[in-house]
Amino acid sequence: MDEFVRGLMSNNYLITPPAYFLLSEHYNKDFALPELIKFAKAKGTFIIDETLAEEFLESKGILIKPKHLEKFIMDKKTEEKTAEEQTLEIPETTEVEETPTSVSTPVSEAIEEVEEIEEPQNTPETQEVVMAEVSEESLVEEIEESEELEEEEELEESFEVNGEENGENGEVKRKVVFEEYGVPIVGEEELPEEEEKTYSVYVDFKVSPKEGFEFIAEKIEPDFKVKFDVKNIKLKPPKAKNGTTKEGEIIVKVYENYFKSRLKKIRRILRENPEVSGVIDIGKLSYINPEGDVTIIGLVNSKRETRNGYMFEVEDLTGIIKVFIGRDKEDYKKAFEIMPDSVVAFKGRYSKRGIFFAENIYLPDVPMYKREKPPLEEKVYAVLISDIHVGSTKFCEKAFMKFLEWLNGNVNTKAEEEIVSRIKYLIIAGDVVDGIGIYPGQYNELSIPDIFDQYEALANLLSNVPEHITMFIGPGNHDAARTALPQPEFYKEYAKPLYELKNAIIISNPAVIDLHGREFLVAHGRGIEDVVSYVPNMSHHNPIKPMVELLKLRHLAPTFGGKVPIAPDLEDLLVIESVPDVVHMGHVHVLDYQIYRGVFLLNSATWQAQTEFQKMVNIVPTPAKVPIIDVDTARLRMIVDFSKWCDV
Amino acid sequence: MELYSEEMKKYFESLQREIDRAYEIAKQARAQGKDPVRDIEVPQATDMAGRVESLVGPKGVAERIRELVKEYGKELAALKVVDEIIEGKFGKFESKEKLADQSVRTALAILTEGIVSAPLEGIADVRIKKNPDGTDYLAIYYAGPIRSSGGTAQALSVLVGDYVRRKLGLDRFKPTEEHIERYVEEVDLYHRAVTRLQYHPSPDEVRLAVRNIPIEITGEATDDVEVSHRNVPGVETNNLRGGAILVLAEGVLQKAKKLVKYIDKMGIEGWEWLKEFVEAKEKGSGERKAEEEKAEKSEEKTAVKVEKGFYYELYEKFRANIAPNAKYTKEIIGGRPLFAEPSTNGGFRLRYGRSRVSGFATWSINPAVMIMVDEFLAVGTQMKTERPGKGAIVTPASTIEGPIVKLKDGSVVRVDDYHKALELKDQVEEILYLGDALIAFGDFVENNQTLLPANYVEEWWIQEFVEAVNKVYELELKPFQENEKELLEEAADYLELDADFLAELLKDPIKVKPSIEDAIHLSRILKIPLHPYYTLYWNTLEVEELISLQNALVNAKIEWEEYRGFKYAKRVEIPLSSLGKAKRYLELLGVEHKVSGDLVVIEYPWSAALLTPLANLEKKIEFKEFYTPIDLINEISDVKLRDRGISWIGARMGRPEKAKERKMKPPVHVLFPIGLAGGNSRDIYKAAQEGKTAEVEIAHFKCTNCGHVDIYPTCPKCGSEAKLLYHCPKCGFESTMDTECPKCGIEMKAYRKRKINPSELLNKAMQNVGVYTLDKLKGVMGMSSAHKIAEPLEKGILRAKNDVYVFKDGTIRFDATDAPITHFKPKEIGVSVEKLRELGYTHDFEGKPLVSEDQIVELKVQDIILSKAAGEYLVRVAKFVDDLLEKFYGLPRFYNVEKMEDLIGHLVIGLAPHTSAGIVGRIIGFVDALVGYAHPYYHAAKRRNCDGDEDAVMLLLDALLNFSRYYLPEKRGGKMDAPLVVTTRLDPREVDSEVHNMDIARCYPLEFYRATYELKSPKELVGVIERVEDRLGKPEMYEGLKFTHDTDDIALGPKMSLYKQLGDMEDKVRRQLALAERIRAVNEHHVAETIINSHIVPDLRGNLRSFTRQEFRCVKCNTKYRRPPLSGKCPNCGGKIVLTVSKGAIEKYLPTAKMLVTHYDVMEYTRQRICITEKDIKTLFQNVFPDTQKTLLTLGADICERMIAERTGKLMKKNGYLDELKENGKLKKAQKKEEKENKNEKPIKQEDKEKKENIKPKKKKGKKVISLEEFFGN
């Protein structure tokens, strides 16, 4: 396809899309590039447009009639017409005794019958099929949801529906009617019937601020800043050493630099720790006096449990070394927390046998105590949510609507009133829609199997968030966004309605937002999966523990090659460079929170009820629970529970 | 009773003589001590008992098994043997565990006929463990290879385990709740993450089973998939236990019903729960059925007054009872086309019968079909089928109908002839009817598939004819055989037929056809349906269409002729213009006609075939509700019709056929380690040339005489026997006696690292065998066997010289797709009549002396017909064996073959994967097709059916000389696919019982055809059509098998599937869709969508995902890294680091996917999925290759950009070409579609509609439906 265009462009010719469409199918089959160029040259133009293309094809003797004219379609009107025509025609040509009516009736009857069948099929059965299948299909979700390749079987199951859908939507709609064999009648093409959707995208859902409700937040000056956003960081593409450098080589180089950048960044963090002193390059270990304690900082290549302790392989820019920490050591337990590819420091002795015997382990971690931030004059609150999964059959739509109404002042208690009136920010940490093609067989679990409509639906819902509340919306793994971390933003062309929301700011995953001087680290949280699989005693049921581990390692997805896909970027943007006040993640659908060394960590659960897959692996989500954060103290103020409306 | 006829006895004796000859020679050779063992390692076994003893022991058990089986039958005998083992009749065992282990294995071996390797490899361990309450219980550790034993044997092994448990006085297994839940999760996880289970039990079923099964079904980790129920006490692994899951789900639960029978038979207690489970299940479905019946009845009551046509009712019943099965269409792989949608008119037409080369999960089709499907099908190609089974391979049968095609000029032609197909293939526009699929009754029995109404065929007609003659004239003619002359003459007289013709017609009614005049005449006088050859596909039409066709034909110019008092059309001519739509109806009828200019011409005999049922246009067909066209025709016409096209079967291509020598990857000449010294190709010769030394792990032998330690089992210094020298890896203690270090108490190893000098070793070896030049000699990097004993280099040198390759067990194999054959013609297999007589083939299948190469001869059960390619390879293998005998062992040459023909009469061992018992076969000829033809019994003896399996042959002497257990890998499954024992005499009673269902009748009787109209279960007809089962235990089980349909040539058809000749995926997909567009019974949009969803998307997404988690690799030393080393070089060897998943791998299928979503009408969801995937790929590299991104975004003509533009309403308005394109996709087949929708599926559709309407209100849940316009706020 592109070869054709490239060929033209390299000859300084331009082609319009319609012309391309006309010509591309004949290209290299019926004509060669030079012929077309010659022709254009003769016409004295460098733009190949539709007219030129047609002329050219004509000159080549290639039938220009687009293929679709060979077999014709008609709409109902014209069909009836043909039926009529036939009734007229047959008696003329026949010399038999039959009356015209006896012949024509069955024909027109047949047509009517067809129409009857057809209509209901065109209309809303998408959903029926979808829903009927739901209970059958348990799906690979969340944690495993990307294992598509191994899941051929699942795909199989999902297909039946697709196939039928296809057949019906695609083909029953129109029919071919031939006046005579081989000479079909061309009907004026009516505009295709409005495709009626079988699902709602919440256009009619409108909530306005409750009358008489006083929104104090309206009067509070907004004070926010996106301090870190991936899309604002320009990564220079690597320069190929020479023209012949292969793509593969560049990618390896880029990944290499990615880890170098990680080492550099976390090394800096580690060095802020006064206990980490006497740091020496691994390559220089053999020169030093074996008696004294030294510290090394490096990336952990591997970790292996032995009979007497843990053996690590650690790498820095100067070399690789085996590091051993015995069971008897005080810091032995920290070894559990070290994930492959994280950067840590070891203090200990180098033995000439080529092994470093560690006494202490230092994780990058966050400082023991936080500096106090000046209190705010006015209380202001932020609502943290994530994993809305709009479009899923399990999306708690009623609960979410209740939540929106609540934000608009429809509250039950005085206490809630106080809070709602001061809500100024709403942060959404990814998986805002259920997406499409995220896991095999997803089609059957979607109420909106259309990515455009999913975002439209979400935007329609979010348009009811009062204007004085600023929303920050970031992508997750279900969203139409780059699949690998970091995710700069949504694909604009698919998530356009989100970008059009007046009071929304699209952030990357991860991102750091400063609200009134408090730093909120917002990430979707796929790294939690890897912590669960690499660190003992971690589970999806208590996501806060893995989140703390990530914070201790100061990285959102430390391990490469695990469950988290990492993009080939030159710089590691997943390092938690500055210590946040609040860490906000989602992804595992369980509400959980904890304060660790002054940092408030929170997993904001979901708006999706338990899916079949989750049921199977025993993941119990806690949907429709909304944590409210007091920005001033950066602590939880309240959890509002809408789950009673979540009965999907 | 004697089991064999004299002739069979002679045959088996001659085989045994040849076997003994080979063993004699091999024994001499092995005695020289040049191999790991000084004896042949492939023991002979005449029967199951012998195999069991050879495979698992204990010694002396074979004799008892024979006695016990005779007395109690196989299943009970297995338990009795357990009794005796436990009683200590076969020696003492060191522990209860060992005792239990031996009992379970022996019993399972008996139950699996001692063929599969499951008893060896499928059971990893048997242990006695402790319940939480301190009691002992039995645990069986299953491993992956348990799969090979089949569900029933798996389930039985559990039963045996329980029996053993009781015998040993152990308590039952008491699982904790956690433990039970672990099973529940594993079953589900296995089903979705590993492979689909044939039977996927519900969580409650799993719970019930685990709670009640008295032993623990556990196992080792088989897959690298972790569960979330971790560290459950008593479960050693957190990974999936594939073996255990299989036994639980596909064994105990799936085969519960069968198991209950055995429980009763064996009298095992404590399994009442299973009975209840089975009963509950049956009751459940029974109740439902009863309800359905009730519903039906009530319907009937209301409908009782409605008069319905015969076929209308039959169709109704058919649809109500047998639903199309779309399972096989759920996965379509790029390049492997769908040939027909499920049960779709125009697909494969079901024809009951068995050809010489079908049955036993093999379909015969007319070779013309293979041509018309663009040669995607060749002899031996596997198809995934709708029914009766899941798969089948295809073989040619020229006597059944081929496709009916419409040519580009509008003519319609029936193509029953292979050569005609070759001529016409380029002119075909549409394949209206795909042609017959000859499917054996036995396959319906085997799969317990309800019989579909038979389509009207010649073999049915002739029986109706004979029956009518008997009724009308009281003459007993016999179909399918020669009749008495007098009888014939009398009948011919009455019927006004030529007596000779009648004789021929009766003898071969499939090939011999009456003229249309005679056919009509016979129908009129005998009141039998019109001969099927002249019957058209009337019921493909709708009644309305039939009527309008009749009306249109009134304008035709018709030449009439008279014959015996009736009028028939000699020629019909009608202008296209007055035919109108009815042209299509002619095509759908399958009536041959030509189009020249504006004129449609239907010539004799088709003119009569068309007009006679239409009452020569003298009576008008009137529309009647509940009548099909045939019903209406039968009302008005005095020539009655039977439907020739009721039952259609769908299929898609599975695996391509195969016949190829087996090579390991990389190929190996000799099992000798060379490490890295041989470079990437492990070339020992190269290493020797370059004078490299290699450090390898290799077994050490110590001479029993002089004490010299070397790597050969015979001392190179003094020629005495040398013994394996074990040494302790810890303390270095050495011994030729112990295998465990007396000091350290750890296992000692017979191999050690050793520096070897390839050049020295090779020179010596080359001199030994007198080979002085070599091209290359490929060894292995290292050995994976337990002791790492290497093969003598001489063997490799001779293999390299003869260009043959060795398999991991020391044998040389040739693999081929299994195909069944029961009868052959000498000319088909390239063997002379004289030679055949020598081989014992003295008579043809009808008992006439064998004189001509055209006669049909029944194949003897252990004879095989190999592919030409196999012949060529085996000639080289034979030369290698001769060289080996002569130059290495110093014995006379044995085979002395120069050309393929010389191999005829020589013996091979047939051996299938997953099994450990081979069977001796004799080569009697070769065919030019990529299959291995052999008697169905022979395949069954290897535990194969012919649904696309493939397995290997090796020359008998090669296996005897070169096979050693010491070469086998130590890992799990290493003993599979090795000739641990060989069966010398085939006993049909001891082969896979699937073949017992193969039918062996000359024809299927009228009773059968009538039963199909009643949709009977095939079980009701057992006994009506003779099957192998009916002859078991009698000499006839070996001889006198029959078939129903002949074929010209068993190798007629394309030699190789087009699939194997196509290049990249785009090419494959294009060809596949071009075919889909051509076949009337296929919806190409469905195909496109399925390819995307089942093949392309998983590949795309899978690669995209693995790219971002990929490993990195050193090009030089091949070390893998989870991430690239910071130094940018391999820390091991300084080599370059490269990706393991390239960017190209991700993008590879994208153009194909885009092409599909552009040109075909796929779901919007699918289209979006592809477009998003494309975007995912682009953005993945946005920071690495930002420039390429721009070039990818060139055009508005791109499908994704158009979609986005349309949906966001931004870039373009709905411009013309966009809609055009969309329409294009939808319309291509609109015509085809219309027919389908209207005809075949109308009644179903209506039902569907009703169903859907019923569900609708529930689902809609008040969500408002909005329009697109509102949506964008226009």
Side-chain angles (χ1 to χ4, degrees), chain B residues 261-389:
Chain B
K261 271 188 220 157
Y262 285 115
I263 289 166
D264 291 341
K265 216 163 148 187
M266 296 172 167
I268 295 181
E269 288 160 40
W271 286 76
E272 287 71 26
W273 66 275
L274 195 68
K275 277 181 211 172
E276 283 161 25
F277 169 73
V278 171
E279 275 160 25
K281 254 197 140 174
E282 300 237 300
K283 216 175 158 192
S285 57
E287 269 170 18
R288 232 173 294 138
K289 239 183 220 167
E291 269 172 41
E292 273 168 32
E293 267 166 37
K294 246 188 227 163
E296 252 172 55
K297 263 180 200 162
S298 60
E299 253 175 56
E300 270 169 36
K301 263 177 209 161
T302 56
V304 88
K305 278 168 209 153
V306 181
E307 199 191 327
K308 290 178 181 171
F310 174 81
Y311 276 104
Y312 190 93
E313 265 184 276
L314 179 60
Y315 273 82
E316 248 184 2
K317 201 161 88 185
F318 183 11
R319 284 210 183 99
N321 286 292
I322 304 169
N325 176 5
K327 223 172 179 179
Y328 75 98
T329 62
K330 287 188 182 160
E331 188 186 20
I332 299 178
I333 294 167
R336 304 191 190 179
L338 178 69
F339 298 118
E341 307 274 347
S343 304
T344 301
N345 186 311
F348 283 109
R349 185 179 82 130
L350 169 64
R351 187 155 184 168
Y352 288 105
R354 195 183 74 79
S355 76
R356 297 191 275 126
V357 284
S358 78
F360 203 37
T362 300
W363 290 11
S364 276
I365 58 174
N366 191 305
V369 182
M370 304 185 192
I371 297 297
M372 285 303 173
V373 295
D374 287 349
E375 310 194 7
F376 271 110
L377 288 176
V379 180
T381 309
Q382 187 202 24
M383 289 203 293
K384 296 283 183 195
T385 57
E386 183 185 2
R387 56 171 61 98

Side-chain angles (χ1 to χ4, degrees), chain B residues 1160-1198:
Chain B
Y1160 295 92
D1161 184 29
V1162 299
M1163 264 201 305
E1164 199 54 35
Y1165 176 81
T1166 309
R1167 194 167 287 141
Q1168 290 180 7
R1169 228 175 142 184
I1170 296 296
C1171 290
I1172 287 189
T1173 303
E1174 185 187 28
K1175 181 88 184 172
D1176 288 342
I1177 294 170
K1178 275 188 214 160
T1179 54
L1180 183 61
F1181 299 105
Q1182 65 185 12
N1183 295 326
V1184 189
F1185 308 110
D1187 300 333
T1188 44
Q1189 241 201 99
K1190 277 169 207 152
T1191 56
L1192 279 170
L1193 291 169
T1194 40
L1195 267 179
D1198 178 83

Side-chain angles (χ1 to χ4, degrees), chain A residues 41 64 76 201 220 295 421 453 473 495 551:
Chain A
K41 208 173 185 179
I64 353 165
K76 288 168 197 166
V201 291
I220 301 173
T295 306
S421 73
D453 287 344
I473 310 174
L551 185 63

